[in-house]
Amino acid sequence: MPPEGPTVEDVQKMFSEEKEALTKQIDEIQDKYKRALAETENVRQRMQKQIDDVKLFGIQAFCKDLLDVVDVLGRATESIPPAEISDRNPHLKNLFQGLKMTETNMLKVFNSNGLFQINPNTGDKFDPNLHEAMFEQVVEGVDPGNVAVVTKIGHRLHQRTIRPAQVGVSKSD
C-alpha cells in the first residue's frame, strides 16, 4: 500500500512556495521601510531649511519698517542746504551732525545683521530681481534698458530682496 499523506516532493514544493511568498513579503517590507526612512529624511531636511530661513529672515518685517525710518533720516539730512550748516547756526549744525551719525549707525547695524543696500549706478543693467522700473526716459550716454536714475535705494536681507531699488530706465529715441 502507498503511504498516506503528502509526498516528499509535495512538501518540498509547498515549502518552496511558502519561502518565495515570505521572501517576496520581506522584500516588500524592506522597500516600504527604505521609503519611510527616505521620506523621514526629506521631512527632516525640509524642516531644517525652514528653521534656517526663519533664523535668517525672521526679522524681515522689522527691517522693512526700519527702512522707512532710514529714508526719513536721509530726506531730513538732504533737505538742509549745505550753506546753512556752519558755525553761524550751531544748533542746525549739531542737529545735522546728529542725524548723520544716527543714519550711519543704523546702516552699520543693518549691515551687521545682513541687511544691505541696493544702490545701482547710472548705466548699470536693469535687473528686475533688484530694481523696480518706475519710468522710462531717453538719457544721453546711457544704453537703453539700463538704469538712468535711482529714485529710491533698495535693500536686501542676506540674498533676498525685501525692497527693490526704484529706478528710471533709459530708453531709445
Side-chain angles (χ1 to χ4, degrees):
M1 243 194 188
E4 297 276 326
T7 64
V8 172
E9 290 84 26
D10 290 340
V11 171
Q12 284 179 340
K13 184 177 178 185
M14 184 176 70
F15 281 140
S16 177
E17 289 172 358
E18 188 174 336
K19 179 184 174 191
E20 283 182 35
L22 290 173
T23 303
K24 185 176 179 183
Q25 187 177 9
I26 289 171
D27 290 344
E28 289 174 1
I29 290 171
Q30 283 181 336
D31 183 59
K32 287 179 183 179
Y33 173 72
K34 289 176 183 177
R35 289 178 187 273
L37 281 179
E39 180 62 25
T40 303
E41 180 61 18
N42 289 339
V43 168
R44 188 195 67 74
Q45 287 176 353
R46 281 194 303 270
M47 291 307 297
Q48 187 61 47
K49 178 163 179 16
Q50 287 178 351
I51 289 168
D52 292 344
D53 283 351
V54 166
K55 286 179 183 176
L56 282 177
F57 302 113
I59 61 171
Q60 182 171 333
F62 180 67
C63 289
K64 277 184 159 181
D65 292 342
L66 283 179
L67 292 179
D68 293 333
V69 174
V70 170
D71 290 343
V72 169
L73 282 172
R75 284 193 294 274
T77 57
E78 290 170 2
S79 69
I80 300 173
E84 295 295 321
I85 305 169
S86 66
D87 291 329
R88 296 181 294 134
N89 198 342
H91 297 298
L92 182 62
K93 182 178 179 182
N94 289 338
L95 177 64
F96 177 78
Q97 289 173 344
L99 289 172
K100 280 305 244 184
M101 288 187 326
T102 302
E103 183 181 25
T104 301
N105 284 338
M106 283 191 78
L107 292 175
K108 284 181 186 176
V109 169
F110 284 175
N111 288 341
S112 68
N113 286 285
L115 183 64
F116 301 99
Q117 289 186 335
I118 301 171
N119 191 6
N121 295 316
T122 300
D124 285 355
K125 185 74 177 154
F126 176 79
D127 182 350
N129 297 314
L130 301 174
H131 310 136
E132 179 181 359
M134 303 305 290
F135 58 89
E136 286 186 312
Q137 72 182 40
V138 177
V139 177
E140 292 295 322
V142 179
D143 294 335
N146 289 352
V147 174
V149 178
V150 178
T151 58
K152 192 173 197 179
I153 294 173
H155 287 83
R156 62 182 167 82
L157 181 59
H158 301 288
Q159 298 305 316
R160 182 184 293 175
T161 300
I162 61 171
R163 184 175 78 184
Q166 295 178 349
V167 299
V169 179
S170 179
K171 67 177 184 176
S172 57
D173 292 339

Short mmCIF file of all heavy atoms in Angstrom, two decimals, residues 99-164:
data_model
loop_
_atom_site.label_atom_id
_atom_site.label_comp_id
_atom_site.label_asym_id
_atom_site.label_seq_id
_atom_site.Cartn_x
_atom_site.Cartn_y
_atom_site.Cartn_z
N LEU A 99 21.80 113.78 13.09
CA LEU A 99 21.02 112.98 12.13
C LEU A 99 21.94 112.11 11.28
O LEU A 99 21.64 110.94 11.03
CB LEU A 99 20.19 113.90 11.23
CG LEU A 99 19.00 114.59 11.88
CD1 LEU A 99 18.38 115.60 10.92
CD2 LEU A 99 17.96 113.57 12.33
N LYS A 100 23.05 112.67 10.83
CA LYS A 100 24.00 111.90 10.00
C LYS A 100 24.60 110.74 10.81
O LYS A 100 24.73 109.62 10.29
CB LYS A 100 25.12 112.80 9.48
CG LYS A 100 24.76 113.63 8.28
CD LYS A 100 24.22 112.78 7.18
CE LYS A 100 25.09 112.81 5.97
NZ LYS A 100 24.50 112.04 4.86
N MET A 101 24.95 110.99 12.07
CA MET A 101 25.51 109.92 12.90
C MET A 101 24.48 108.82 13.14
O MET A 101 24.81 107.63 13.09
CB MET A 101 26.01 110.48 14.24
CG MET A 101 27.27 111.30 14.10
SD MET A 101 28.06 111.85 15.65
CE MET A 101 26.75 112.14 16.78
N THR A 102 23.23 109.22 13.36
CA THR A 102 22.17 108.23 13.57
C THR A 102 21.98 107.39 12.32
O THR A 102 21.88 106.16 12.39
CB THR A 102 20.85 108.94 13.95
OG1 THR A 102 21.06 109.72 15.12
CG2 THR A 102 19.74 107.93 14.19
N GLU A 103 21.95 108.05 11.17
CA GLU A 103 21.80 107.33 9.90
C GLU A 103 22.96 106.37 9.67
O GLU A 103 22.76 105.21 9.31
CB GLU A 103 21.70 108.34 8.74
CG GLU A 103 21.47 107.71 7.40
CD GLU A 103 21.41 108.75 6.28
OE1 GLU A 103 21.98 109.84 6.43
OE2 GLU A 103 20.80 108.43 5.25
N THR A 104 24.18 106.83 9.92
CA THR A 104 25.37 106.00 9.74
C THR A 104 25.34 104.79 10.67
O THR A 104 25.63 103.66 10.25
CB THR A 104 26.65 106.83 9.99
OG1 THR A 104 26.66 107.93 9.08
CG2 THR A 104 27.90 106.00 9.79
N ASN A 105 24.98 105.02 11.92
CA ASN A 105 24.91 103.90 12.88
C ASN A 105 23.83 102.90 12.50
O ASN A 105 24.04 101.69 12.64
CB ASN A 105 24.69 104.43 14.30
CG ASN A 105 25.94 105.03 14.89
OD1 ASN A 105 27.04 104.72 14.47
ND2 ASN A 105 25.78 105.89 15.87
N MET A 106 22.70 103.39 12.03
CA MET A 106 21.64 102.46 11.61
C MET A 106 22.11 101.60 10.44
O MET A 106 21.86 100.40 10.41
CB MET A 106 20.36 103.22 11.25
CG MET A 106 19.60 103.68 12.47
SD MET A 106 17.96 104.27 12.09
CE MET A 106 17.11 102.74 11.87
N LEU A 107 22.80 102.21 9.49
CA LEU A 107 23.30 101.44 8.34
C LEU A 107 24.34 100.41 8.77
O LEU A 107 24.37 99.30 8.24
CB LEU A 107 23.86 102.38 7.27
CG LEU A 107 22.82 103.26 6.57
CD1 LEU A 107 23.49 104.23 5.61
CD2 LEU A 107 21.78 102.42 5.85
N LYS A 108 25.17 100.75 9.76
CA LYS A 108 26.14 99.77 10.29
C LYS A 108 25.41 98.60 10.94
O LYS A 108 25.79 97.44 10.76
CB LYS A 108 27.07 100.44 11.30
CG LYS A 108 28.14 101.29 10.70
CD LYS A 108 29.01 101.89 11.77
CE LYS A 108 30.02 102.87 11.20
NZ LYS A 108 30.81 103.53 12.25
N VAL A 109 24.37 98.89 11.72
CA VAL A 109 23.59 97.83 12.37
C VAL A 109 22.92 96.97 11.32
O VAL A 109 22.89 95.74 11.42
CB VAL A 109 22.56 98.42 13.35
CG1 VAL A 109 21.58 97.37 13.83
CG2 VAL A 109 23.27 99.07 14.54
N PHE A 110 22.38 97.60 10.28
CA PHE A 110 21.75 96.85 9.18
C PHE A 110 22.75 95.89 8.57
O PHE A 110 22.47 94.70 8.39
CB PHE A 110 21.22 97.79 8.10
CG PHE A 110 19.95 98.50 8.45
CD1 PHE A 110 19.44 99.46 7.59
CD2 PHE A 110 19.24 98.23 9.60
CE1 PHE A 110 18.26 100.11 7.87
CE2 PHE A 110 18.07 98.89 9.91
CZ PHE A 110 17.57 99.83 9.04
N ASN A 111 23.94 96.41 8.23
CA ASN A 111 24.96 95.57 7.59
C ASN A 111 25.39 94.42 8.49
O ASN A 111 25.59 93.29 8.02
CB ASN A 111 26.17 96.40 7.18
CG ASN A 111 25.89 97.29 5.99
OD1 ASN A 111 24.94 97.07 5.25
ND2 ASN A 111 26.69 98.32 5.82
N SER A 112 25.51 94.67 9.79
CA SER A 112 25.94 93.60 10.69
C SER A 112 24.87 92.52 10.85
O SER A 112 25.17 91.41 11.26
CB SER A 112 26.32 94.17 12.05
OG SER A 112 25.19 94.66 12.73
N ASN A 113 23.63 92.84 10.50
CA ASN A 113 22.54 91.87 10.58
C ASN A 113 22.13 91.34 9.20
O ASN A 113 21.08 90.71 9.07
CB ASN A 113 21.34 92.48 11.29
CG ASN A 113 21.57 92.58 12.77
OD1 ASN A 113 21.51 91.58 13.48
ND2 ASN A 113 21.87 93.78 13.25
N GLY A 114 22.95 91.60 8.19
CA GLY A 114 22.70 91.03 6.86
C GLY A 114 21.77 91.85 5.99
O GLY A 114 21.29 91.35 4.97
N LEU A 115 21.49 93.10 6.35
CA LEU A 115 20.63 93.97 5.55
C LEU A 115 21.53 94.94 4.79
O LEU A 115 22.22 95.76 5.39
CB LEU A 115 19.65 94.72 6.44
CG LEU A 115 18.63 95.61 5.74
CD1 LEU A 115 17.69 94.78 4.88
CD2 LEU A 115 17.83 96.41 6.77
N PHE A 116 21.52 94.83 3.46
CA PHE A 116 22.42 95.63 2.63
C PHE A 116 21.65 96.47 1.63
O PHE A 116 20.56 96.10 1.20
CB PHE A 116 23.39 94.70 1.87
CG PHE A 116 24.22 93.85 2.78
CD1 PHE A 116 23.88 92.53 3.02
CD2 PHE A 116 25.33 94.37 3.42
CE1 PHE A 116 24.63 91.74 3.87
CE2 PHE A 116 26.09 93.59 4.27
CZ PHE A 116 25.74 92.27 4.49
N GLN A 117 22.25 97.60 1.26
CA GLN A 117 21.62 98.50 0.30
C GLN A 117 21.76 97.96 -1.12
O GLN A 117 22.74 97.32 -1.47
CB GLN A 117 22.26 99.89 0.35
CG GLN A 117 21.92 100.68 1.58
CD GLN A 117 22.46 102.10 1.51
OE1 GLN A 117 23.42 102.39 0.81
NE2 GLN A 117 21.83 102.99 2.25
N ILE A 118 20.74 98.27 -1.92
CA ILE A 118 20.80 98.05 -3.36
C ILE A 118 20.78 99.44 -3.96
O ILE A 118 19.73 100.10 -4.00
CB ILE A 118 19.60 97.23 -3.87
CG1 ILE A 118 19.53 95.87 -3.20
CG2 ILE A 118 19.66 97.09 -5.39
CD1 ILE A 118 18.26 95.08 -3.49
N ASN A 119 21.93 99.92 -4.37
CA ASN A 119 22.05 101.28 -4.89
C ASN A 119 22.77 101.24 -6.23
O ASN A 119 23.99 101.40 -6.29
CB ASN A 119 22.79 102.17 -3.89
CG ASN A 119 22.72 103.63 -4.24
OD1 ASN A 119 22.02 104.02 -5.17
ND2 ASN A 119 23.44 104.44 -3.49
N PRO A 120 22.03 100.97 -7.31
CA PRO A 120 22.68 100.83 -8.62
C PRO A 120 23.26 102.16 -9.11
O PRO A 120 22.78 103.24 -8.74
CB PRO A 120 21.56 100.35 -9.53
CG PRO A 120 20.31 100.83 -8.87
CD PRO A 120 20.58 100.84 -7.39
N ASN A 121 24.27 102.04 -9.93
CA ASN A 121 24.87 103.22 -10.55
C ASN A 121 24.19 103.49 -11.89
O ASN A 121 23.64 102.59 -12.51
CB ASN A 121 26.37 103.00 -10.80
CG ASN A 121 27.14 102.84 -9.50
OD1 ASN A 121 26.94 103.58 -8.56
ND2 ASN A 121 28.01 101.84 -9.46
N THR A 122 24.26 104.73 -12.32
CA THR A 122 23.75 105.08 -13.64
C THR A 122 24.50 104.25 -14.68
O THR A 122 25.73 104.18 -14.65
CB THR A 122 23.93 106.59 -13.92
OG1 THR A 122 23.22 107.31 -12.92
CG2 THR A 122 23.42 106.96 -15.29
N GLY A 123 23.77 103.61 -15.56
CA GLY A 123 24.37 102.79 -16.60
C GLY A 123 24.39 101.31 -16.28
O GLY A 123 24.68 100.49 -17.16
N ASP A 124 24.09 100.94 -15.02
CA ASP A 124 24.02 99.51 -14.68
C ASP A 124 22.86 98.86 -15.43
O ASP A 124 21.83 99.49 -15.68
CB ASP A 124 23.80 99.31 -13.17
CG ASP A 124 25.05 99.57 -12.36
OD1 ASP A 124 26.12 99.81 -12.95
OD2 ASP A 124 24.95 99.54 -11.11
N LYS A 125 23.01 97.60 -15.76
CA LYS A 125 21.96 96.85 -16.44
C LYS A 125 20.76 96.71 -15.50
O LYS A 125 20.91 96.38 -14.33
CB LYS A 125 22.49 95.48 -16.85
CG LYS A 125 21.53 94.66 -17.66
CD LYS A 125 21.42 95.19 -19.07
CE LYS A 125 20.51 94.29 -19.88
NZ LYS A 125 19.89 95.01 -20.97
N PHE A 126 19.57 96.97 -16.02
CA PHE A 126 18.34 96.81 -15.22
C PHE A 126 18.14 95.34 -14.88
O PHE A 126 18.18 94.49 -15.74
CB PHE A 126 17.13 97.35 -16.00
CG PHE A 126 15.84 97.14 -15.28
CD1 PHE A 126 15.45 97.98 -14.25
CD2 PHE A 126 14.99 96.09 -15.62
CE1 PHE A 126 14.26 97.78 -13.58
CE2 PHE A 126 13.80 95.88 -14.96
CZ PHE A 126 13.44 96.73 -13.93
N ASP A 127 17.96 95.06 -13.60
CA ASP A 127 17.73 93.69 -13.12
C ASP A 127 16.39 93.67 -12.37
O ASP A 127 16.28 94.25 -11.29
CB ASP A 127 18.86 93.27 -12.18
CG ASP A 127 18.71 91.85 -11.67
OD1 ASP A 127 17.64 91.23 -11.88
OD2 ASP A 127 19.67 91.34 -11.06
N PRO A 128 15.38 93.01 -12.93
CA PRO A 128 14.06 93.03 -12.28
C PRO A 128 14.04 92.36 -10.91
O PRO A 128 13.10 92.56 -10.15
CB PRO A 128 13.16 92.27 -13.27
CG PRO A 128 14.09 91.48 -14.12
CD PRO A 128 15.39 92.22 -14.15
N ASN A 129 15.07 91.59 -10.58
CA ASN A 129 15.15 90.98 -9.25
C ASN A 129 15.64 91.97 -8.20
O ASN A 129 15.42 91.76 -7.00
CB ASN A 129 16.08 89.77 -9.26
CG ASN A 129 15.56 88.68 -10.16
OD1 ASN A 129 14.38 88.35 -10.13
ND2 ASN A 129 16.44 88.13 -10.99
N LEU A 130 16.31 93.03 -8.65
CA LEU A 130 16.86 94.03 -7.73
C LEU A 130 16.26 95.41 -7.91
O LEU A 130 16.34 96.24 -6.99
CB LEU A 130 18.38 94.13 -7.93
CG LEU A 130 19.19 92.87 -7.71
CD1 LEU A 130 20.65 93.10 -8.08
CD2 LEU A 130 19.07 92.39 -6.28
N HIS A 131 15.69 95.66 -9.08
CA HIS A 131 15.21 97.01 -9.41
C HIS A 131 13.73 97.00 -9.76
O HIS A 131 13.22 96.02 -10.30
CB HIS A 131 15.99 97.59 -10.61
CG HIS A 131 17.47 97.48 -10.47
ND1 HIS A 131 18.27 97.06 -11.51
CD2 HIS A 131 18.29 97.70 -9.43
CE1 HIS A 131 19.54 97.06 -11.12
NE2 HIS A 131 19.58 97.44 -9.85
N GLU A 132 13.07 98.10 -9.45
CA GLU A 132 11.68 98.29 -9.85
C GLU A 132 11.65 99.49 -10.79
O GLU A 132 12.01 100.61 -10.38
CB GLU A 132 10.81 98.55 -8.62
CG GLU A 132 9.36 98.80 -8.95
CD GLU A 132 8.52 99.07 -7.70
OE1 GLU A 132 9.06 99.06 -6.57
OE2 GLU A 132 7.32 99.32 -7.88
N ALA A 133 11.25 99.29 -12.03
CA ALA A 133 11.21 100.37 -13.01
C ALA A 133 10.02 101.28 -12.71
O ALA A 133 8.88 100.83 -12.72
CB ALA A 133 11.11 99.80 -14.42
N MET A 134 10.29 102.53 -12.45
CA MET A 134 9.24 103.50 -12.15
C MET A 134 8.82 104.26 -13.41
O MET A 134 7.68 104.67 -13.53
CB MET A 134 9.71 104.48 -11.07
CG MET A 134 10.15 103.80 -9.77
SD MET A 134 8.90 102.71 -9.06
CE MET A 134 7.71 103.90 -8.52
N PHE A 135 9.78 104.45 -14.30
CA PHE A 135 9.50 105.17 -15.54
C PHE A 135 10.63 104.90 -16.53
O PHE A 135 11.66 104.35 -16.16
CB PHE A 135 9.39 106.69 -15.28
CG PHE A 135 10.61 107.30 -14.66
CD1 PHE A 135 11.65 107.79 -15.44
CD2 PHE A 135 10.74 107.38 -13.28
CE1 PHE A 135 12.78 108.34 -14.87
CE2 PHE A 135 11.86 107.93 -12.69
CZ PHE A 135 12.88 108.41 -13.49
N GLU A 136 10.38 105.29 -17.78
CA GLU A 136 11.41 105.20 -18.83
C GLU A 136 11.63 106.61 -19.37
O GLU A 136 10.69 107.39 -19.49
CB GLU A 136 10.96 104.31 -19.98
CG GLU A 136 10.97 102.83 -19.67
CD GLU A 136 10.65 102.00 -20.90
OE1 GLU A 136 9.66 102.34 -21.60
OE2 GLU A 136 11.38 101.05 -21.18
N GLN A 137 12.88 106.90 -19.71
CA GLN A 137 13.17 108.19 -20.31
C GLN A 137 14.40 108.06 -21.19
O GLN A 137 15.22 107.16 -20.99
CB GLN A 137 13.36 109.28 -19.26
CG GLN A 137 14.65 109.19 -18.47
CD GLN A 137 14.76 110.27 -17.41
OE1 GLN A 137 13.78 110.60 -16.77
NE2 GLN A 137 15.94 110.82 -17.25
N VAL A 138 14.51 108.95 -22.13
CA VAL A 138 15.67 109.00 -23.01
C VAL A 138 16.77 109.74 -22.26
O VAL A 138 16.56 110.87 -21.80
CB VAL A 138 15.35 109.72 -24.34
CG1 VAL A 138 16.58 109.82 -25.20
CG2 VAL A 138 14.23 109.01 -25.07
N VAL A 139 17.94 109.09 -22.12
CA VAL A 139 19.06 109.71 -21.43
C VAL A 139 20.30 109.54 -22.30
O VAL A 139 20.66 108.43 -22.67
CB VAL A 139 19.29 109.05 -20.04
CG1 VAL A 139 20.51 109.66 -19.35
CG2 VAL A 139 18.06 109.19 -19.17
N GLU A 140 20.92 110.65 -22.62
CA GLU A 140 22.14 110.62 -23.44
C GLU A 140 23.26 109.92 -22.68
O GLU A 140 23.45 110.15 -21.49
CB GLU A 140 22.59 112.05 -23.78
CG GLU A 140 21.65 112.78 -24.71
CD GLU A 140 21.57 112.15 -26.10
OE1 GLU A 140 22.61 111.67 -26.61
OE2 GLU A 140 20.46 112.12 -26.64
N GLY A 141 23.97 109.05 -23.35
CA GLY A 141 25.10 108.36 -22.75
C GLY A 141 24.76 107.12 -21.95
O GLY A 141 25.64 106.49 -21.39
N VAL A 142 23.46 106.79 -21.88
CA VAL A 142 23.05 105.59 -21.16
C VAL A 142 22.34 104.68 -22.15
O VAL A 142 21.39 105.08 -22.81
CB VAL A 142 22.12 105.93 -19.97
CG1 VAL A 142 21.70 104.65 -19.25
CG2 VAL A 142 22.82 106.87 -18.99
N ASP A 143 22.82 103.45 -22.26
CA ASP A 143 22.23 102.49 -23.18
C ASP A 143 20.79 102.16 -22.79
O ASP A 143 20.46 102.12 -21.60
CB ASP A 143 23.05 101.19 -23.21
CG ASP A 143 24.44 101.39 -23.79
OD1 ASP A 143 24.63 102.34 -24.59
OD2 ASP A 143 25.34 100.60 -23.43
N PRO A 144 19.94 101.92 -23.78
CA PRO A 144 18.56 101.54 -23.47
C PRO A 144 18.52 100.26 -22.62
O PRO A 144 19.31 99.34 -22.82
CB PRO A 144 17.93 101.29 -24.85
CG PRO A 144 18.79 102.05 -25.81
CD PRO A 144 20.17 102.05 -25.22
N GLY A 145 17.60 100.23 -21.66
CA GLY A 145 17.48 99.08 -20.78
C GLY A 145 18.37 99.13 -19.57
O GLY A 145 18.38 98.21 -18.75
N ASN A 146 19.12 100.22 -19.43
CA ASN A 146 20.00 100.38 -18.28
C ASN A 146 19.42 101.41 -17.32
O ASN A 146 18.57 102.22 -17.68
CB ASN A 146 21.40 100.83 -18.71
CG ASN A 146 22.15 99.72 -19.41
OD1 ASN A 146 21.70 98.58 -19.46
ND2 ASN A 146 23.30 100.04 -19.96
N VAL A 147 19.90 101.39 -16.09
CA VAL A 147 19.43 102.32 -15.06
C VAL A 147 19.89 103.72 -15.43
O VAL A 147 21.06 103.97 -15.71
CB VAL A 147 19.99 101.92 -13.68
CG1 VAL A 147 19.65 102.96 -12.62
CG2 VAL A 147 19.48 100.55 -13.27
N ALA A 148 18.93 104.65 -15.45
CA ALA A 148 19.25 106.05 -15.74
C ALA A 148 19.25 106.90 -14.47
O ALA A 148 20.08 107.78 -14.30
CB ALA A 148 18.25 106.61 -16.75
N VAL A 149 18.29 106.63 -13.58
CA VAL A 149 18.12 107.41 -12.35
C VAL A 149 17.69 106.48 -11.23
O VAL A 149 16.88 105.59 -11.45
CB VAL A 149 17.03 108.50 -12.56
CG1 VAL A 149 16.81 109.28 -11.28
CG2 VAL A 149 17.37 109.42 -13.70
N VAL A 150 18.20 106.71 -10.04
CA VAL A 150 17.74 105.98 -8.86
C VAL A 150 16.87 106.94 -8.05
O VAL A 150 17.33 107.99 -7.61
CB VAL A 150 18.93 105.49 -7.99
CG1 VAL A 150 18.42 104.79 -6.74
CG2 VAL A 150 19.83 104.56 -8.78
N THR A 151 15.58 106.57 -7.89
CA THR A 151 14.68 107.44 -7.13
C THR A 151 14.57 107.00 -5.67
O THR A 151 14.24 107.81 -4.81
CB THR A 151 13.27 107.48 -7.76
OG1 THR A 151 12.75 106.15 -7.81
CG2 THR A 151 13.33 108.07 -9.16
N LYS A 152 14.83 105.72 -5.38
CA LYS A 152 14.79 105.23 -4.00
C LYS A 152 15.72 104.02 -3.90
O LYS A 152 15.63 103.09 -4.70
CB LYS A 152 13.37 104.83 -3.63
CG LYS A 152 13.15 104.58 -2.15
CD LYS A 152 11.66 104.37 -1.90
CE LYS A 152 11.34 104.54 -0.44
NZ LYS A 152 9.91 104.37 -0.18
N ILE A 153 16.59 104.06 -2.93
CA ILE A 153 17.54 102.96 -2.71
C ILE A 153 16.78 101.73 -2.21
O ILE A 153 15.87 101.85 -1.39
CB ILE A 153 18.62 103.38 -1.69
CG1 ILE A 153 19.48 104.51 -2.28
CG2 ILE A 153 19.48 102.20 -1.29
CD1 ILE A 153 20.46 105.10 -1.30
N GLY A 154 17.15 100.58 -2.72
CA GLY A 154 16.53 99.33 -2.30
C GLY A 154 17.37 98.64 -1.24
O GLY A 154 18.47 99.09 -0.89
N HIS A 155 16.86 97.53 -0.72
CA HIS A 155 17.58 96.76 0.29
C HIS A 155 17.32 95.27 0.10
O HIS A 155 16.28 94.88 -0.38
CB HIS A 155 17.15 97.17 1.70
CG HIS A 155 17.67 98.51 2.11
ND1 HIS A 155 17.06 99.69 1.75
CD2 HIS A 155 18.76 98.85 2.82
CE1 HIS A 155 17.74 100.70 2.23
NE2 HIS A 155 18.78 100.22 2.90
N ARG A 156 18.32 94.48 0.52
CA ARG A 156 18.17 93.03 0.51
C ARG A 156 18.60 92.51 1.87
O ARG A 156 19.53 93.04 2.48
CB ARG A 156 18.95 92.38 -0.62
CG ARG A 156 20.43 92.56 -0.55
CD ARG A 156 21.15 91.92 -1.75
NE ARG A 156 22.52 92.37 -1.81
CZ ARG A 156 23.52 91.87 -1.11
NH1 ARG A 156 23.31 90.88 -0.29
NH2 ARG A 156 24.74 92.35 -1.21
N LEU A 157 17.89 91.50 2.33
CA LEU A 157 18.22 90.83 3.58
C LEU A 157 18.89 89.52 3.21
O LEU A 157 18.25 88.63 2.65
CB LEU A 157 16.96 90.59 4.41
CG LEU A 157 17.13 89.93 5.77
CD1 LEU A 157 18.05 90.76 6.66
CD2 LEU A 157 15.78 89.75 6.45
N HIS A 158 20.18 89.43 3.48
CA HIS A 158 21.03 88.34 3.02
C HIS A 158 20.92 88.30 1.49
O HIS A 158 21.35 89.24 0.85
CB HIS A 158 20.67 87.03 3.71
CG HIS A 158 20.82 87.13 5.21
ND1 HIS A 158 22.04 87.19 5.83
CD2 HIS A 158 19.89 87.23 6.20
CE1 HIS A 158 21.88 87.31 7.14
NE2 HIS A 158 20.59 87.34 7.39
N GLN A 159 20.34 87.29 0.89
CA GLN A 159 20.24 87.25 -0.57
C GLN A 159 18.83 87.53 -1.06
O GLN A 159 18.56 87.44 -2.25
CB GLN A 159 20.71 85.89 -1.10
CG GLN A 159 22.16 85.59 -0.80
CD GLN A 159 23.12 86.65 -1.29
OE1 GLN A 159 23.00 87.15 -2.41
NE2 GLN A 159 24.05 87.07 -0.46
N ARG A 160 17.92 87.88 -0.17
CA ARG A 160 16.52 88.12 -0.54
C ARG A 160 16.25 89.61 -0.64
O ARG A 160 16.47 90.36 0.32
CB ARG A 160 15.61 87.49 0.51
CG ARG A 160 14.13 87.64 0.19
CD ARG A 160 13.26 87.10 1.29
NE ARG A 160 13.38 85.65 1.40
CZ ARG A 160 12.80 84.93 2.34
NH1 ARG A 160 12.08 85.49 3.28
NH2 ARG A 160 12.96 83.61 2.36
N THR A 161 15.74 90.05 -1.78
CA THR A 161 15.38 91.45 -1.95
C THR A 161 14.10 91.71 -1.16
O THR A 161 13.08 91.09 -1.40
CB THR A 161 15.15 91.78 -3.44
OG1 THR A 161 16.36 91.52 -4.16
CG2 THR A 161 14.76 93.23 -3.64
N ILE A 162 14.19 92.65 -0.20
CA ILE A 162 12.98 92.97 0.56
C ILE A 162 12.37 94.29 0.09
O ILE A 162 11.21 94.54 0.32
CB ILE A 162 13.22 92.99 2.08
CG1 ILE A 162 14.25 94.02 2.48
CG2 ILE A 162 13.60 91.62 2.58
CD1 ILE A 162 14.35 94.20 3.99
N ARG A 163 13.19 95.11 -0.58
CA ARG A 163 12.66 96.30 -1.24
C ARG A 163 13.56 96.60 -2.43
O ARG A 163 14.72 96.94 -2.26
CB ARG A 163 12.63 97.50 -0.28
CG ARG A 163 11.97 98.72 -0.95
CD ARG A 163 11.83 99.87 -0.01
NE ARG A 163 13.12 100.55 0.13
CZ ARG A 163 13.32 101.56 0.96
NH1 ARG A 163 12.36 102.00 1.73
NH2 ARG A 163 14.49 102.12 1.03
N PRO A 164 13.02 96.44 -3.64
CA PRO A 164 13.85 96.72 -4.81
C PRO A 164 14.16 98.21 -4.92
O PRO A 164 13.38 99.05 -4.46
CB PRO A 164 13.00 96.24 -5.99
CG PRO A 164 11.60 96.27 -5.48
CD PRO A 164 11.66 96.04 -4.00
#
